[in-house]
Amino acid sequence: MQTITILYIILALLLSLSVAYFQYFFKEKNKAKINVVLFVLRTLSLFLLLLLLINPTIKKTELINTKPVLAVLVDNSKSIPYFKETKRITTFLSEIKNDNNIKEKFDINSFSFGSNVKPLDSLSFTENETNVSKAITAVNDLYEDKIAPIILLSDGNQTIGNDYEFINSKQKIYPIVFGDTIQYQDLKISQLNVNKYSYIKNKFPVEVFLNYEGKENVSSQFSIYKEGKTVFTKKIQFSETNNVQTISTNITSSKEGLQYYTASINKIEGEKNTKNNSKSFSVEVIDEQTKVLILTSVLHPDLGVLKKSIESNKQRSVDVFLIDKFKFNINDYQLVVLNQPNNSFNKILNEVKSSNSNYFLISGANTDWNFINKQQLGFTKNALNQTENYGASFSNSFLTFSQKDIGFNQFPPLKDQFGEVGISKEHQTLLFQNINGLETQQPLLATLEENNQKIGVLFGEGLWKWRATSFLNSNSFEDFDVFIGNLVQYLASNKKINRLEVNAESLYPANASIQISAFYTDKNYLFDSRAFLEITVTNSATKEVVKNPFSLINNAYQTEIENLNAGDYEYKVSVKGQNIHKYGKFKITDYQIEEQFTNANSEKLQKLANRTGGKLYFKNEIEKLKKVLLEDKSSYTTQKSIIKEQNLIDWKWVLFVVIGLLSIEWFIRKYYGKI
């Protein structure tokens, strides 16, 4: 108890004595014995009331023992049953958790992991992916301030995430190897690259990387099949040193629509795992020739970049004219690009509006926004007489066409006149403006549709910088050219506007979660959030039907379908109460990424153990692991002292006593006629 508190208690006692003395003895001539009783009662009641106000406390020190945590991470992926280790891994886990000596020294916490990590409830070994690094990082973050060695039960084969071999862990890690550690000969397709789209009677490139694990010289044959027919074949040789082969070929697109292919390499003698010898891919073949017209008021590097990017697809051609030199008919082109329009574009814009032609408008420092604002194009800009640099922020909710983020936020800013953009028509924004690192909701690149006319607007010049930066980032112009190609393909298409648009992949790996999104509008082509959408998926072979509703998420309808077997599927998306449907198809391959490994990766697990100060063990060395854990002096129980303040008095009881004392005093005074 603090000195000041004791001082307050003494003062309270003196004050209580003084008040009681003044009331019952000061100037009191008849000092009856009953006054002594009343004096004591009043002193006690006043002292207890003051004691309640002072509320004295005492500090109490408690000692708490904290045992170290033993975190057990269990690989719950499909590779464990593939290696036939489910029973061994379950038994190993049970022996650790039920060992009395281990439980006495550690608090045991178990987790399972696949693509994500979660507290261990039960083991199913059905995860389609393995992320070892994410699991280790999660446990390190969870026990950041504790001693928590980690036991990792896994085959060491990771399919996604950062390389766990180089992870920084403050906790010791003890990997336990499950799976076959014998090195078998193996041929596999490690990677396959192909364009998503091709044009009919055009050749599309296919690039395949083949890997060989083994010490003998072997030969095999690589082939590509379509509907059971061979479209490409090549004999290949491998050796211990020459263990990587790259196959590049061009395949002719002979049929319009979605086409499926299978790349395969023949099995060699003694090969145990043949599931990684084949891989399926798809290409959508489009029957479309596109002519693009670029009209400009100024000469600019963007013109050359647009021409190169658009013509990177051989099915597209580009003509570039200064606006005052163009004397031809715009109806000869599927898309008109208007670069930095001004008054000279008056005639062309009138033709575009009257013919309902699709166009792509690019503004910049030389754009006449007063002229554009008068044209009633569906978008305006309250431009000031100064320029601003606009960075790009990618929008994940863009559904007009499929476009991945190619690092737009890392691209140099575009230049345009400063001012607020207004869009009066229904639109979708692919890129938002980013001003000096501040993301805004103002569009940088947007698409509009009305009355079967498609419009694209880019509020800024400087695309040549984007293409150069894309090359520096990826050592290729492909990402940027595909981006421009997707935009041109959409804008140049004369397909009728559909109120229901569905975004789905054409090929999914086995046991993957099938995610499909949809965009639905009302009759005015405004997004309708009131609709009920449902998808019906039919297996083409078995005719088995699965129905799933869509959920409304961020101005789009989304659904997720799981547990579909490998095969070909057709789907129909319907709007309840409306005669509106959208049809499509996709394929689920029997490619299992977790079954592509021939043996456990003990080498990488050993490096992880060495890096973190732990030690590698095999599945039959559980007693050695227990001994090391129990003898490890770095895993010790910590003692922590906690100082708690406790009230010296219970206010309820003190208040009850005070009321009792005052009541007794009142009755005595009443009895003796002192009231």
Side-chain angles (χ1 to χ4, degrees):
M1 190 184 302
Q2 294 181 352
T3 306
I4 189 69
T5 305
I6 297 173
L7 206 61
Y8 284 150
I9 294 173
I10 294 171
L11 288 174
L13 180 59
L14 293 175
L15 182 61
S16 302
L17 289 167
S18 301
V19 172
Y21 178 81
F22 181 83
Q23 184 171 357
Y24 291 110
F25 293 112
F26 187 72
K27 295 183 180 179
E28 186 74 30
K29 295 179 180 180
N30 183 19
K31 297 181 180 179
K33 290 183 179 181
I34 195 62
N35 285 7
V36 176
V37 176
L38 293 172
F39 168 77
V40 173
L41 291 173
R42 177 54 59 92
T43 301
L44 286 174
S45 59
L46 288 176
F47 176 69
L48 290 176
L49 280 173
L50 292 173
L51 201 60
L52 276 178
L53 294 175
I54 296 171
N55 192 24
T57 59
I58 57 172
K59 291 184 178 179
K60 184 180 179 182
T61 302
E62 290 185 2
L63 296 177
I64 297 177
N65 293 329
T66 304
K67 292 194 291 186
V69 175
L70 182 62
V72 185
L73 286 172
V74 185
D75 189 341
N76 197 35
S77 67
K78 288 185 175 179
S79 61
I80 298 300
Y82 177 71
F83 285 125
K84 299 178 180 178
E85 296 284 13
T86 53
K87 187 175 180 180
R88 288 191 182 95
I89 209 168
T90 305
T91 303
F92 195 102
L93 175 64
S94 179
E95 287 193 35
I96 289 290
K97 294 174 71 174
N98 295 325
D99 187 281
N100 291 328
N101 294 326
I102 295 291
K103 288 194 292 184
E104 185 178 346
K105 182 175 180 178
F106 296 95
D107 286 330
I108 303 173
N109 290 333
S110 305
F111 304 88
S112 66
F113 68 92
S115 56
N116 293 298
V117 60
K118 56 186 177 182
L120 179 59
D121 181 20
S122 60
L123 290 170
S124 59
F125 303 106
T126 56
E127 295 281 348
N128 294 311
E129 296 173 318
T130 307
N131 193 337
V132 179
S133 62
K134 187 174 184 179
I136 294 173
T137 302
V139 171
N140 270 287
D141 292 342
L142 182 62
Y143 302 118
E144 184 177 4
D145 300 323
K146 293 184 178 181
I147 300 171
I150 299 171
I151 298 177
L152 175 63
L153 311 182
S154 176
D155 55 26
N157 292 314
Q158 178 169 282
T159 58
I160 57 170
N162 299 325
D163 194 341
Y164 68 85
E165 178 184 339
F166 305 103
I167 199 167
N168 290 320
S169 172
K170 62 168 287 189
Q171 311 291 355
K172 290 183 179 180
I173 300 177
Y174 298 92
I176 316 300
V177 182
F178 288 87
D180 198 343
T181 55
I182 299 174
Q183 195 79 26
Y184 294 95
Q185 288 191 128
D186 185 52
L187 279 177
K188 67 178 179 180
I189 299 175
S190 59
Q191 188 175 338
L192 190 150
N193 299 324
V194 64
N195 290 342
K196 190 174 182 180
Y197 299 99
S198 179
Y199 289 91
I200 196 165
K201 298 181 181 179
N202 191 24
K203 290 188 175 182
F204 62 90
V206 178
E207 184 179 46
V208 183
F209 294 91
L210 306 172
N211 285 75
Y212 166 68
E213 293 178 4
K215 296 183 178 180
E216 299 179 6
N217 294 336
V218 297
S219 62
S220 184
Q221 182 168 295
F222 173 78
S223 304
I224 297 177
Y225 303 95
K226 179 179 181 291
E227 297 176 349
K229 296 180 180 179
T230 303
V231 295
F232 174 81
T233 186
K234 183 180 180 180
K235 289 186 176 181
I236 44 178
Q237 305 285 333
F238 292 98
S239 67
E240 184 178 6
T241 54
N242 182 29
N243 57 4
V244 178
Q245 294 276 4
T246 303
I247 307 294
S248 297
T249 185
N250 293 302
I251 298 176
T252 303
S253 308
S254 57
K255 187 177 179 181
E256 185 180 359
L258 194 59
Q259 308 299 319
Y260 293 104
Y261 297 83
T262 300
S264 177
I265 183 170
N266 290 349
K267 175 184 177 181
I268 58 175
E269 186 178 353
E271 187 174 7
K272 182 181 179 181
N273 184 10
T274 58
K275 292 191 175 183
N276 55 12
N277 287 33
S278 62
K279 188 174 283 191
S280 298
F281 63 95
S282 65
V283 175
E284 186 172 353
V285 181
I286 303 168
D287 185 10
E288 185 177 353
Q289 302 286 328
T290 304
K291 290 183 68 177
V292 179
L293 170 65
I294 299 179
L295 297 175
T296 181
S297 62
V298 294
L299 295 177
H300 196 280
D302 284 355
L303 304 175
V305 162
L306 284 170
K307 183 175 174 66
K308 281 182 176 293
S309 294
I310 296 171
E311 290 185 341
S312 63
N313 187 314
K314 295 180 181 179
Q315 296 297 312
R316 299 185 183 125
S317 62
V318 178
D319 293 332
V320 183
F321 290 94
L322 287 168
I323 185 63
D324 54 356
K325 302 291 184 182
F326 181 69
K327 308 297 182 185
F328 304 99
N329 192 340
I330 64 169
N331 292 326
D332 295 334
Y333 299 89
Q334 283 74 49
L335 176 63
V336 180
V337 180
L338 308 175
N339 185 58
Q340 309 227 28
N342 55 24
N343 283 313
S344 303
F345 283 72
N346 188 49
K347 180 181 176 183
I348 289 296
L349 273 174
N350 288 333
E351 290 183 25
V352 165
K353 288 189 286 186
S354 62
S355 62
N356 219 30
S357 299
N358 300 336
Y359 66 91
F360 179 34
L361 188 146
I362 302 174
S363 66
N366 296 292
T367 302
D368 187 348
W369 276 105
N370 289 328
F371 164 72
I372 295 175
N373 292 340
K374 295 176 182 177
Q375 299 302 309
Q376 297 182 341
L377 301 177
F379 55 90
T380 59
K381 187 168 189 177
N382 187 18
L384 304 178
N385 191 23
Q386 65 182 65
T387 59
E388 180 61 80
N389 293 324
Y390 297 100
S393 294
F394 181 73
S395 171
N396 290 311
S397 60
F398 182 78
L399 289 172
T400 303
F401 56 85
S402 179
Q403 173 60 48
K404 68 176 183 178
D405 186 358
I406 59 174
F408 290 105
N409 63 332
Q410 300 174 5
F411 287 172
L414 303 181
K415 181 189 288 187
D416 197 15
Q417 295 175 35
F418 181 76
E420 184 178 358
V421 175
I423 302 181
S424 57
K425 293 182 179 179
E426 180 66 21
H427 66 283
Q428 287 266 307
T429 302
L430 175 60
L431 300 174
F432 288 103
Q433 294 178 3
N434 186 315
I435 304 176
N436 297 324
L438 179 64
E439 294 186 11
T440 72
Q441 292 302 305
Q442 287 279 288
L444 182 67
L445 175 59
T447 59
L448 300 79
E449 290 189 34
E450 188 175 65
N451 299 326
N452 294 336
Q453 183 185 38
K454 297 180 179 178
I455 304 168
V457 191
L458 177 65
F459 298 94
E461 62 178 76
L463 285 175
W464 67 272
K465 297 178 184 178
W466 283 17
R467 193 170 191 258
T469 303
S470 179
F471 181 84
L472 292 174
N473 291 342
S474 61
N475 202 30
S476 169
F477 293 116
E478 183 179 355
D479 284 346
F480 180 83
D481 291 347
V482 169
F483 157 59
I484 294 296
N486 290 340
L487 183 61
V488 169
Q489 180 178 325
Y490 161 72
L491 292 175
S493 173
N494 290 320
K495 292 181 180 179
K496 183 181 177 181
I497 300 174
N498 294 311
R499 289 176 57 189
L500 177 62
E501 294 290 344
V502 178
N503 188 7
E505 296 292 332
S506 58
L507 204 65
Y508 294 95
N511 299 108
S513 176
I514 313 299
Q515 295 182 340
I516 297 176
S517 59
F519 188 82
Y520 175 70
T521 64
D522 59 20
K523 293 182 179 180
N524 292 324
Y525 297 100
L526 299 175
F527 177 74
D528 191 347
S529 61
R530 303 164 299 173
F532 178 82
L533 273 64
E534 185 180 60
I535 185 169
T536 303
V537 179
T538 306
N539 187 302
S540 301
T542 65
K543 303 303 178 184
E544 185 178 353
V545 176
V546 175
K547 291 187 177 182
N548 248 36
F550 281 81
S551 299
L552 182 62
I553 302 174
N554 296 331
N555 287 338
Y557 292 94
Q558 297 183 16
T559 190
E560 190 171 307
I561 308 170
E562 297 181 335
N563 302 321
L564 292 181
N565 297 323
D568 294 318
Y569 290 85
E570 298 173 350
Y571 67 83
K572 180 178 79 170
V573 178
S574 306
V575 183
K576 188 176 181 179
Q578 300 284 338
N579 188 26
I580 298 176
H581 310 285
K582 193 77 173 183
Y583 298 88
K585 62 180 181 177
F586 59 81
K587 183 175 185 176
I588 298 179
T589 68
D590 55 4
Y591 176 82
Q592 290 275 8
I593 191 170
E594 288 292 333
E595 297 179 357
Q596 305 306 304
F597 305 100
T598 57
N599 56 280
N601 198 335
S602 57
E603 182 180 346
K604 191 169 269 192
L605 290 172
Q606 179 68 67
K607 291 179 180 178
L608 174 66
N610 295 340
R611 185 178 179 87
T612 59
K615 190 175 180 181
L616 178 82
Y617 294 94
F618 292 93
K619 55 194 173 187
N620 58 348
E621 295 181 315
I622 187 169
E623 295 303 325
K624 291 182 180 180
L625 172 64
K626 289 180 182 178
K627 184 178 179 181
V628 167
L629 290 172
L630 293 172
E631 294 178 354
D632 186 7
K633 294 183 179 179
S634 64
S635 298
Y636 51 85
T637 299
T638 58
Q639 194 173 71
K640 186 184 294 184
S641 62
I642 299 177
I643 299 175
K644 293 183 177 180
E645 283 194 352
Q646 289 185 336
N647 291 329
L648 192 61
I649 58 175
D650 189 334
W651 68 270
K652 294 179 183 178
W653 285 104
V654 172
L655 195 60
F656 178 76
V657 172
V658 168
I659 294 172
L661 291 172
L662 291 174
S663 299
I664 293 170
E665 181 186 358
W666 185 84
F667 280 114
I668 292 173
R669 293 183 65 188
K670 184 76 172 176
Y671 181 80
Y672 286 96
K674 292 182 176 289
I675 297 179

